[in-house]
Amino acid sequence: MASGGGSNFKAIIDRIGEGDLDAQCKFLISNNGNCGAMEHARAYGIPVYHISGKTHPDPAAYESAMLDVLNLYNVDLLILAGYMKALPVCMIQRMPNRILNIHPSLLPKYGGKGFWGIHVHEAVIAAHDTESGATVHLVSEEIDKGRILAQAKVPVLPDDTPEVLAARVLEQEHNLYWKTIKEYAAQL
């Protein structure tokens, strides 16, 4: 599942294609009908589903549409790769300890409501932290509170802007996520 440019999605798909990650991407769900991740998915022949408040204004229909996609495919893990909306509780309950997310901070710092994208990096710099990084965690009913599976640290440099720090963290995300997926899947 993704909402944005899709660089984490593409990094995972590329690792599958290179044989580093023994997996198959069965579908992409996005809440953003014009996101880059959808373009990547289509280029790889991966089925794409746009499910959002615009496509399904009724909350029950929205949840049902999400579950319908899960029911169409036999999946072991659901991977959130820049998905910018809280998942319906019914999905979390449907796949307990089977949904992974990546977050651009060293959780538990700078997680939860309001801490997404550039806002995370702005907060890190404003707090004068000397390190930041990325966290892969299990999705729970509380945003960014699920069990931490792995982290990668990066230094925060004195002249960093939020954009420069974001790029350094994103580079780590691309390596950390596929490796964590591989390690976690091996335990299932």
Side-chain angles (χ1 to χ4, degrees):
M1 297 180 71
S3 300
S7 69
N8 267 312
F9 175 77
K10 185 176 184 320
I12 292 167
I13 297 302
D14 287 346
R15 290 299 183 153
I16 292 170
E18 293 166 12
D20 295 323
L21 180 59
D22 184 16
Q24 180 184 10
C25 181
K26 302 271 186 142
F27 61 84
L28 172 73
I29 294 175
S30 181
N31 63 320
N32 177 356
N34 296 314
C35 75
M38 290 176 113
E39 293 174 26
H40 295 308
R42 288 184 182 112
Y44 287 98
I46 297 167
V48 174
Y49 298 90
H50 175 207
I51 302 172
S52 69
K54 289 181 181 179
T55 63
H56 297 80
D58 175 61
Y62 170 79
E63 289 181 7
S64 179
M66 293 283 223
L67 291 174
D68 286 347
V69 174
L70 286 182
N71 291 332
L72 278 175
Y73 301 92
N74 180 25
V75 296
D76 297 312
L77 293 173
L78 185 60
I79 306 300
L80 306 186
Y83 189 71
M84 305 303 291
K85 184 169 175 56
L87 288 184
V89 171
C90 63
M91 287 187 74
I92 297 167
Q93 292 172 344
R94 168 81 158 53
M95 297 190 72
N97 298 316
R98 298 288 180 130
I99 305 173
L100 279 67
N101 185 44
I102 191 153
H103 186 76
S105 78
L106 297 174
L107 291 175
K109 286 181 126 184
Y110 312 110
K113 189 173 176 126
F115 286 112
W116 55 272
I118 203 71
H119 303 297
V120 172
H121 309 295
E122 290 168 344
V124 169
I125 290 171
H128 304 288
D129 286 357
T130 58
E131 67 179 6
S132 188
T135 301
V136 177
H137 65 93
L138 293 175
V139 173
S140 66
E141 292 182 24
E142 291 182 82
I143 297 173
D144 298 330
K145 298 280 188 181
R147 180 166 59 100
I148 292 172
L149 300 177
Q151 293 183 314
K153 296 179 180 180
V154 300
V156 178
L157 304 176
D159 59 347
D160 273 347
T161 64
E163 294 78 13
V164 168
L165 179 58
R168 191 176 311 114
V169 171
L170 186 61
E171 187 176 317
Q172 290 301 310
E173 289 180 32
H174 291 168
N175 287 317
L176 178 68
Y177 210 1
W178 76 268
K179 289 177 182 175
T180 306
I181 292 166
K182 182 176 183 172
E183 290 169 9
Y184 189 69
Q187 300 171 24
L188 299 178

